[in-house]
Amino acid sequence: IYCMFTTKSSICCTKAEVKGGQGADYMRTDIISTVEFNHTGELLATGDKGGRVVIFQREPESQTEPFSQGEYNVYSTFQSHEPEFDYLKSLEIEEKINKIRWLPQQNAAHFLLSTNDKTIKLWKVSERDKRPEGYNLKDEEGRIKDISTVTSLQVPVLKPMDLMVEVTPRRVFANAHTYHINSISVNSDYETYMSADDLRINLWHLDITDRSFNIVDIKPANMEDLTEVITAAEFHPHHCNLFVYSSSKGTLRLCDMREAALCDKHSKLFEEPEDPSARSFFSEIISSVSDVKFSHSGRYLLTRDYLTAKVWDLNMESKPLETYQVHDYLRSKLCSLYENDCIFDKFECAWNGSDSVIMTGAYNNFFRMFDRNTKRDVTLEASRESSKPRAVLKPRRVCAAGGKRRKDDISVDSLDFTKKILHTAWHPNENIIAIAATNNLYIFQDKLNSEMH
Amino acid sequence: MLLSSLTLICGSAEFKSFSMEDHPLPPTYSEVQEKTISPEKAEEAKLKARYPNLGNKPGGSDLLRKRLQKGQKYFDSGDYNMAKAKIKNKQLPTAAPEKTEITGDHIPTPQDLPQRKPSLVASKLAG
């Protein structure tokens, strides 16, 4: 009925792949900062803090080698962004890739948008599997021939060659953001896309790099009056006039571009009423929405704040439809999490293809999945030990300090807060998930229940 | 209506007792409400004890302005390039001999500075 859950409390994972260096020493530049499947799930792109993009391609299933079927192997890798220095502000511009978004495929080539804090780039990924041979003026190595040796003319012929994947930058969309870009989203019209920074959202045409339209501006006239920033933004999957953006105060705003050129006034405001008696110093910080995603159906919104994941119905602004506790045991650790800045960690969230299960990451390389229909949830760990092929991914459990402890439970105090799973992605149609655990990429496939229900 | 005007006058302890009947707290708090204060409030008390100077507007403009200013600031571009040169030397202790003069102690000129290319190394994800 649903993916990755069996009738027992374990999950059967028949294929697990781990990419990246082993061992505890890794460079800052190796830390994965974004993960994204393309629209068919055939390609999986990762971006890292060093500004590099690696694209994996799924091997087609073959009859002869059933166990290598469906593996993701490296397809291409390139340097997307370089570190820059803003001379005017004496500030470093990080090369870290904040987001990658694929364009829907329209011809043989694949296109993706990648962005760092300031600049968005459109990349074309194309294959070359033929090359011309038999030039008249050049020899096989490309050296110019001595013209006196040429006695006859030949027509160059296209011959097959080893597959080469070429990546070329096609557009550079620069200088439109004063603040740091946190999101990009391709519109369903396949012509435009938006980029959002802390205070503004811009609308671009994919072919035009020297102009963009500002569609949201929440910068106050006086910066002293600043109370909230934009944390994430996304276009509706089907309605090209609708988009949503989330804020650091825990609100979501749905905007309709048909209403006005500047969408400062929202069409709908989604906000859960706060319980005033429960308010604390941390309330606003932990209510900040770190990620927002439309469901594939376009009917629901999934948001992630520090401790919970929430599903909202577009037709109900007053409160979320469902609230899932991701790691409520952290509530008694908020003081130290504030001191070590972990309270500001931005976790992403994901829907499965049928919108029946949601997934998000946590600490200690744990990630969580919630089945919206059965209300069952599970905690799994991305680790090399538990990722052998055909291994059963054992559910993990965290117990509160001093609480009843079972054999394999982990105590809240033993959690490793440096091992955070911030970025996860779910294949658009199948039960395949990609989990970024610091410098390693885990790809889990559920072969038993490979189709989504 | 009456409740809301009462909340304006009462301190936090009294406010709690008025609110419990009409505003049921979410399940997480129901067990602890009478005996102890919520874990979140306990953590807040701990924080305030450690940092008495912490302002009372947690999500306010100070935090946001700090967030907006992400990115290490340098005095000027020379400062930036010197810092980069220092990092490069730390990461590659066996740097080529002709570049040994370029250290943090020696004021670099534009010709001396190696071009910063931190990602000459391909990503380890690419095998």
Side-chain angles (χ1 to χ4, degrees):
Chain A
I1 293 292
Y2 34 73
C3 71
M4 296 210 156
F5 290 83
T6 62
T7 48
K8 306 181 194 119
S9 58
S10 60
I11 284 180
C12 193
C13 162
T14 57
K15 177 170 244 47
E17 303 171 71
V18 190
K19 317 278 181 196
Q22 281 185 311
D25 61 332
Y26 53 85
M27 313 248 281
R28 177 197 66 94
T29 50
D30 291 326
I31 298 172
I32 302 169
S33 50
T34 185
V35 187
E36 185 82 353
F37 280 100
N38 75 338
H39 293 260
T40 60
E42 185 211 349
L43 299 176
L44 174 63
T46 61
D48 65 21
K49 281 197 175 180
R52 299 166 299 191
V53 172
V54 181
I55 304 175
F56 299 88
Q57 182 188 43
R58 193 175 183 202
E59 294 306 316
E61 325 238 324
S62 76
Q63 312 290 24
T64 50
E65 273 179 86
F67 292 125
S68 77
Q69 68 192 357
E71 247 177 36
Y72 281 84
N73 294 323
V74 179
Y75 180 64
S76 176
T77 176
F78 60 97
Q79 185 75 35
S80 170
H81 288 72
E82 297 264 4
E84 287 171 67
F85 189 69
D86 182 337
Y87 289 88
L88 200 60
K89 297 180 187 163
S90 292
L91 270 180
E92 189 175 36
I93 300 173
E94 253 194 292
E95 68 274 34
K96 169 170 81 94
I97 308 294
N98 291 337
K99 285 276 161 27
I100 289 173
R101 289 288 182 262
W102 292 91
L103 267 57
Q105 195 178 8
Q106 292 182 295
N107 53 37
H110 297 273
F111 288 86
L112 63 81
L113 287 170
S114 66
T115 187
N116 69 348
D117 283 339
K118 297 288 184 183
T119 305
I120 307 133
K121 295 186 184 180
L122 177 69
W123 295 91
K124 178 180 177 183
V125 185
S126 49
E127 292 185 359
R128 189 195 286 270
D129 61 356
K130 295 186 198 35
R131 69 152 179 240
E133 271 174 37
Y135 283 106
N136 291 291
L137 299 176
K138 289 189 287 187
D139 65 17
E140 292 305 306
E141 277 87 53
R143 289 185 295 244
I144 308 287
K145 279 186 191 169
D146 180 356
I147 204 156
S148 57
T149 63
V150 179
T151 52
S152 62
L153 283 178
Q154 56 183 347
V155 178
V157 175
L158 283 176
K159 290 261 170 76
M161 60 179 259
D162 288 339
L163 181 67
M164 198 169 75
V165 181
E166 294 177 323
V167 183
T168 46
R170 302 298 284 173
R171 306 268 188 275
V172 178
F173 304 91
N175 303 319
H177 286 278
T178 310
Y179 303 99
H180 297 104
I181 299 173
N182 52 56
S183 314
I184 46 175
S185 180
V186 183
N187 204 347
S188 52
D189 65 10
Y190 302 164
E191 280 190 351
T192 58
Y193 77 95
M194 69 153 122
S195 55
D197 67 28
D198 294 317
L199 296 177
R200 299 192 178 101
I201 301 181
N202 294 330
L203 181 71
W204 301 85
H205 189 287
L206 283 165
D207 291 334
I208 299 170
T209 58
D210 62 355
R211 260 172 298 159
S212 75
F213 288 104
N214 176 244
I215 52 177
V216 174
D217 188 339
I218 65 167
K219 182 171 186 227
N222 185 356
M223 282 299 267
E224 303 271 320
D225 301 331
L226 182 68
T227 54
E228 73 183 312
V229 295
I230 298 169
T231 51
E234 192 178 64
F235 267 118
H236 191 283
H238 314 305
H239 303 303
C240 56
N241 55 299
L242 291 178
F243 66 92
V244 70
Y245 71 91
S246 58
S247 85
S248 54
K249 275 190 161 172
T251 62
L252 302 172
R253 285 175 173 83
L254 185 76
C255 300
D256 189 332
M257 294 195 291
R258 294 171 306 187
E259 285 183 355
L262 190 59
C263 296
D264 279 359
K265 192 169 167 297
H266 53 261
S267 285
K268 290 196 181 186
L269 174 67
F270 299 83
E271 188 172 16
E272 185 165 22
E274 196 194 3
D275 177 4
S277 66
R279 186 169 180 82
S280 76
F281 176 85
F282 305 109
S283 301
E284 194 175 303
I285 303 173
I286 62 173
S287 72
S288 174
V289 174
S290 50
D291 193 19
V292 64
K293 293 261 165 55
F294 274 101
S295 64
H296 292 88
S297 62
R299 167 89 192 263
Y300 303 103
L301 285 166
L302 172 64
T303 60
R304 175 73 155 94
D305 52 59
Y306 192 60
L307 298 177
T308 71
K310 294 179 176 153
V311 175
W312 303 75
D313 186 326
L314 275 188
N315 300 319
M316 182 164 72
E317 299 164 68
S318 54
K319 60 185 167 94
L321 201 59
E322 298 147 27
T323 300
Y324 299 97
Q325 300 295 332
V326 180
H327 38 202
D328 198 61
Y329 45 78
L330 294 185
R331 219 174 273 270
S332 57
K333 295 273 169 209
L334 290 175
C335 179
S336 30
L337 292 169
Y338 180 87
E339 289 178 301
N340 62 18
D341 276 352
C342 281
I343 205 174
F344 302 107
D345 283 336
K346 294 193 210 150
F347 292 94
E348 289 172 8
C349 51
W351 294 92
N352 74 339
S354 58
D355 299 335
S356 58
V357 183
I358 61 170
M359 167 172 71
T360 187
Y363 293 108
N364 212 75
N365 278 357
F366 288 169
F367 58 99
R368 303 263 281 137
M369 284 196 220
F370 300 89
D371 187 314
R372 297 178 58 218
N373 299 321
T374 65
K375 302 301 177 196
R376 284 174 54 200
D377 65 82
V378 70
T379 304
L380 299 170
E381 183 178 1
S383 71
R384 283 179 188 269
E385 297 77 50
S386 59
S387 303
K388 309 268 186 333
R390 270 161 286 127
V392 174
L393 268 184
K394 205 175 52 160
R396 307 307 309 269
R397 191 191 309 272
V398 180
C399 62
K404 265 185 263 191
R405 209 188 140 159
R406 285 184 238 182
K407 191 177 106 151
D408 282 323
D409 286 2
I410 303 232
S411 144
V412 186
D413 300 312
S414 329
L415 290 176
D416 188 340
F417 290 96
T418 62
K419 292 193 182 161
K420 30 195 134 192
I421 292 183
L422 303 172
H423 313 286
T424 60
W426 207 311
H427 187 289
N429 316 112
E430 295 185 40
N431 284 340
I432 305 173
I433 56 176
I435 310 282
T438 317
N439 60 320
N440 289 132
L441 178 72
Y442 289 81
I443 303 170
F444 297 111
Q445 299 196 31
D446 181 14
K447 287 302 191 185
L448 279 190
N449 301 298
S450 53
E451 290 310 309
M452 217 79 68
H453 295 281
Chain B
M1 286 53 63
L2 175 64
L3 222 55
S4 52
S5 60
L6 280 173
T7 61
L8 284 173
I9 324 166
C10 295
S12 54
E14 289 160 299
F15 177 88
K16 250 204 169 60
S17 58
F18 280 110
S19 70
M20 275 184 322
E21 291 82 22
D22 291 14
H23 300 279
L25 297 171
T28 355
Y29 299 126
S30 55
E31 306 96 275
V32 302
Q33 65 192 15
E34 246 124 38
K35 307 217 169 84
T36 59
I37 52 173
S38 75
E40 210 172 303
K41 291 248 166 74
E43 290 294 299
E44 180 176 4
K46 218 191 283 180
L47 192 71
K48 293 243 160 93
R50 281 187 211 176
Y51 306 99
N53 295 327
L54 206 57
N56 249 338
K57 32 180 188 86
S61 42
D62 295 333
L63 210 71
L64 286 178
R65 236 172 302 126
K66 178 175 121 175
R67 191 171 157 160
L68 291 179
Q69 247 189 314
K70 168 193 141 191
Q72 195 181 351
K73 230 173 147 80
Y74 292 86
F75 180 72
D76 60 13
S77 58
D79 184 27
Y80 169 73
N81 284 312
M82 277 187 60
K84 290 306 153 196
K86 267 207 189 101
I87 296 171
K88 189 154 195 219
N89 284 327
K90 269 196 221 140
Q91 280 181 348
L92 306 167
T94 55
E98 65 268 20
K99 297 226 191 317
T100 48
E101 294 154 43
I102 313 303
T103 65
D105 305 327
H106 167 98
I107 295 175
T109 58
Q111 300 92 283
D112 294 338
L113 281 175
Q115 281 292 311
R116 180 172 184 244
K117 290 233 180 288
S119 308
L120 277 175
V121 182
S123 167
K124 291 217 177 64
L125 288 183

